[in-house]
Amino acid sequence: MAGEIMRSVCPYDCPDSCGLLVEVMNGKAVKVSGDPDHPFTRGSLCPKMNHYERTVHSSLRLTTPLRRTGPKGSGEFQLLSWEDAIRRVADRWKDIIGNFGPEAILPYSYAGTMGLVQRNSGHPFFYHLGASRLDRTICAPAKEAGWKAVMGNTLAPQPDELAFSDLVILWGINAVATNIHQLHSVREAKKKGAQVWLVDTYETPTSGIADRTLVVRPGGDGALALGIMHVLARENLLDLDFLSTSVQGFDDLRNQILPEMYPEKVSALTGLSVASIEFMARSYGRAKAPFIRVGAGLSRYGNGGMNIRSIVCLPALVGAWRKKGGGAFVGTSTAGAFAMNEITREDFMAGERRIVNMNQLGHALNHLKNPPIMSLYVYHSNPASITPDQNQVLKGMEREDLFTVVHERFMTDTAKYADIVLPSTSSLEHSDIYRAYGNYCIQQVKAVIPPVGQSRSNWEVFSLLARAMGFPEPFFRQSAEDLIRHVLSIPSPMRKGIDEAAFTTGKAVELPLPNGYKTQYKTPSGKLEILNPKEAHPLPCYLPPHGGKEPYRLMTAPSLYALNSSFREREDLRQQDKAMFLQMNPGDARQKGFKDGERVVAFNDLGGVSFILQVTPKVPAGVVVAAGVWWLDHCPGRRSVNALTSQRLTDMGRGSTLYDNTVDVRKEL
Ligand code: SF4
C-alpha cells in the first residue's frame, strides 16, 4: 500500500534547498525523494538526503528532555519532564541575570535548519532577554562582503544562466559535494561546447567534470585574479566601451595595482606556471560569455574578502555582464523576499548589547569578563565540533559554573556537555518558509509528520521559555503557523509575480528577476565599483593569507556524505566516508617516511589530531586535506579537525578562517 506524498524542503545549510517529496504512512516518513517540479534541483537529491527518513526516525533521536547526572562530556543523563526542564532553565537564568546581568547568557546557533521561522526563533527571545548577541559569521561573510565591495546590492545572475556560457570557471567550489544541482547547467554548457575549468587548492571530486583543473596555492586566488587582469590589460583583451560606461576605477587599478601583478610574481604567489596564467587570461579575454561560479572556501582565509573581491572584478574587464551566459555568481541575496524583521524582532532589544563572534566561542567561554558567560543556550548547532579551536571550546564547556542548555535531535558532542538537553523536531515535523542562497526559489511547507517522541520545535521551546521568563508580549504566544501567515501577508516587491497558487500548495517557485537586471548596478555610483572609496583598500590588491609556521597548509574540505557535523549520526553515511583521513601528496609522504593507511597526527600550536593517512597525487606538495567534520566518538583520537583551526578572522566580514591554518604531521606513536 502506497502512502500519501507530501512536499517538503531540505532544511540543511546548502545553497540548493532541494524540494522533497515525502511518502508518509501511519504518521511516519517512509521514503524521501527529490521533487521533479523544483525549478533548480529538478528531482534529484545528494547522497546525504536520499534516505532522510533514516535520520528522522533514527533510533538515536532524542525523544525526551534530559538532565545531566555525570561529568560534563560523559553523556550521562536522566529523564526529565518538559515542565521540569523549562522551569529549571528559567530559574537558573533568573538567578544568573540577578547576579551577573542578562549579557552573561549567550545564545549559539547557526544553520542547522534554514527555515526562516525556526532558524531565527531565538532572536526575539534573546533580544527581549537582553542576552549577549552572537555574530553569526562562521560560514562565508567575507564572500558576501567581497561581492558587495564591487557589486553593491546588484542582483546575482540566475545561476542556471551558466548553461549559455562558453567558458565556465568553477572557482574554489567542490560542487559535487556542496552545490550538486549547479552541475545540471554545467553539463548543459558542456554539451553545447563550453570549456569547464576548476580552480582549487587540490583535485577535488569536481575535477572529474572539468576539462582543466588549475591547482592554486591556498590563499592565492586573489593574486591569480589580479594576474589575469594584468595580462588582459597588457594584451588589450578588455571591453573598453563597457569599462568606460559601466565601471568605476579601472584606470586606477591599471595604473596603481596591475603593474605589480605580472605573471612571474603571480606564479610565485599561486604556484601556477606563467604559461598557465597567460593561458587563463587569454582564454577568459577571448571567451564570448565567461561565467565564474565562486565557492565559499576561498573566502575563509585572512585575505578571503579580498580574494572574492578581486575575482568579482574579472567580468567587468571583459564586459561579461552584458552577455547572456556571462558574469559571476557567489550566491543569491533574497533577504528582501520576506519581512525578516517581523521574525527577528530587533525592536525587542532594550539597548545595545555585547556582541560575541561565534568563531571566538573558545575565547568567550574562557576569557570574557564583565560579565563572564555563565550560560550557553545552543540550538541547531554543534559548536563542540564545528567551531574553530576545538580545545578551547571544550575547555570552556567543561567549566562547572557554566550552565549549558542544548536543544537538539541527537546526542552530539555539544549535547554531551549540556546540563539540560531538550529534544528537537526535525524539519518534517514543523512548518516553515524557506529561501535558497544558491538559486532564486522560495517554498513554504507544513509539518508532514507529528513530532517524534516529545520533541518540540525551536519556536515552541522559545514560546515556553518566554512564558516561564514572564514575557508579556502576545508575539510569543502565537504559533509558528500564525507567524508564517503574518509574514506572508506582508507584500514584498521581490515576490511580485510569483506563481501564488503553486507557492500556496507547497511547491517551490522562483522569484522573478526584472528585465535587464544584469546591467542595473545597485552601487552608490551606479557603476561596478572596482574603485570603492569606502573600503579599507579602495582598490583590489594582493593581501597575503594569515598562514603559519608549520610546513603544510591544512584544507578542511567538505565530505560528500556529511554537511559540517550534520548526518554524522548515520552509520550508513559514515561508512561511505570510510575513515577520518588526512590526504597527503606521495612526495611529501615519502619524505616523511609515511605509509598509506597508517595513523598519523597533524599538529600545530592549537592541538593535535589523529588521522588515517591517505596518500594521493590529487593533493599538491605542501598541502594536506582533511574532509568532513567528525563527531568525537568517531575520531581515531579524541579530537576532530577543528582542534587545528584558529579563532582568527577574515579581512572582511569577521568570518572564520577555517582554510587558513598550517600543520606539521608525525607518525602516531
Ligand atoms: S544537502 Fe543540498 S544537495 Fe543535498 S538534498 Fe539538501 S539541499 Fe539538496
Side-chain angles (χ1 to χ4, degrees), residues 163-455:
F164 299 96
S165 170
D166 60 336
L167 174 61
V168 176
I169 306 179
L170 302 172
W171 198 319
I173 184 161
N174 184 2
V176 168
T178 62
N179 187 205
I180 197 167
H181 299 91
Q182 184 72 73
L183 297 179
H184 289 313
S185 50
V186 173
R187 289 195 183 94
E188 282 167 32
K190 259 188 105 138
K191 250 191 230 158
K192 288 188 255 174
Q195 280 287 300
V196 177
W197 299 349
L198 173 70
V199 180
D200 217 322
T201 52
Y202 68 103
E203 263 184 64
T204 67
T206 302
S207 65
I209 199 172
D211 299 297
R212 187 179 287 261
T213 297
L214 298 132
V215 175
V216 63
R217 190 166 292 149
D221 305 271
L224 177 57
L226 290 165
I228 292 172
M229 288 190 252
H230 173 101
V231 179
L232 290 173
R234 187 184 73 190
E235 304 193 1
N236 291 321
L237 293 166
L238 302 168
D239 184 335
L240 293 173
D241 177 53
F242 185 78
L243 284 167
S244 69
T245 58
S246 306
V247 180
Q248 171 174 286
F250 176 67
D251 284 342
D252 300 295
L253 182 79
R254 175 156 56 185
N255 296 332
Q256 295 174 38
I257 304 294
L258 295 187
E260 283 305 304
M261 297 308 290
Y262 49 90
E264 292 74 13
K265 179 175 175 182
V266 172
S267 172
L269 292 170
T270 62
L272 285 167
S273 67
V274 168
S276 293
I277 295 161
E278 290 178 337
F279 167 79
M280 288 181 80
R282 288 172 191 147
S283 304
Y284 188 77
R286 289 173 187 147
K288 289 195 183 75
F291 191 102
I292 307 174
R293 175 62 170 98
V294 191
L298 56 96
S299 75
R300 297 185 189 122
Y301 290 90
N303 61 353
M306 190 61 90
N307 284 337
I308 299 286
R309 183 178 169 195
S310 304
I311 293 168
V312 169
C313 287
L314 277 167
L317 271 68
V318 297
W321 291 111
R322 56 180 174 185
K323 296 167 184 166
K324 186 169 182 181
F329 183 92
V330 307
T332 51
S333 176
T334 53
F338 301 103
M340 289 303 297
N341 52 342
E342 295 294 314
I343 299 174
T344 56
R345 297 300 303 260
E346 281 200 28
D347 56 303
F348 284 159
M349 259 191 301
E352 283 302 303
R353 288 292 181 257
R354 171 171 73 182
I355 296 177
V356 175
N357 188 294
M358 69 187 302
N359 300 296
Q360 296 174 329
L361 179 66
H363 172 82
L365 293 179
N366 293 301
H367 303 296
L368 267 193
K369 305 247 181 312
N370 301 321
I373 302 296
M374 298 303 295
S375 180
L376 183 68
Y377 184 93
V378 181
Y379 52 118
H380 64 94
S381 187
N382 184 11
S385 298
I386 56 101
T387 306
D389 205 351
Q390 185 178 45
N391 285 317
Q392 286 302 302
V393 173
L394 294 179
K395 182 178 167 212
M397 285 187 174
E398 278 166 8
R399 273 176 43 203
E400 274 307 321
D401 62 344
L402 179 74
F403 178 61
T404 302
V405 183
V406 176
H407 185 203
E408 246 303 343
R409 298 170 306 162
F410 296 99
M411 187 54 74
T412 60
D413 291 339
T414 306
K416 286 185 178 166
Y417 285 83
D419 296 279
I420 303 282
V421 178
L422 305 172
S424 169
T425 46
S426 76
S427 64
L428 299 189
E429 299 150 54
H430 54 237
S431 305
D432 219 327
I433 36 182
Y434 291 81
R435 58 180 162 85
Y437 64 90
N439 57 71
Y440 279 101
C441 290
I442 57 170
Q443 205 168 344
Q444 63 164 316
V445 296
K446 296 198 164 58
V448 300
I449 57 168
V452 169
Q454 296 178 30
S455 60

Side-chain angles (χ1 to χ4, degrees), residues 10-20 41 44-50 177-181 563 567:
C10 174
Y12 290 98
D13 185 5
C14 169
D16 296 13
S17 291
C18 288
L20 307 179
T41 60
S44 62
L45 299 177
C46 69
K48 304 180 282 283
M49 280 296 280
N50 264 325
T178 62
N179 187 205
I180 197 167
H181 299 91
L563 206 164
F567 295 103

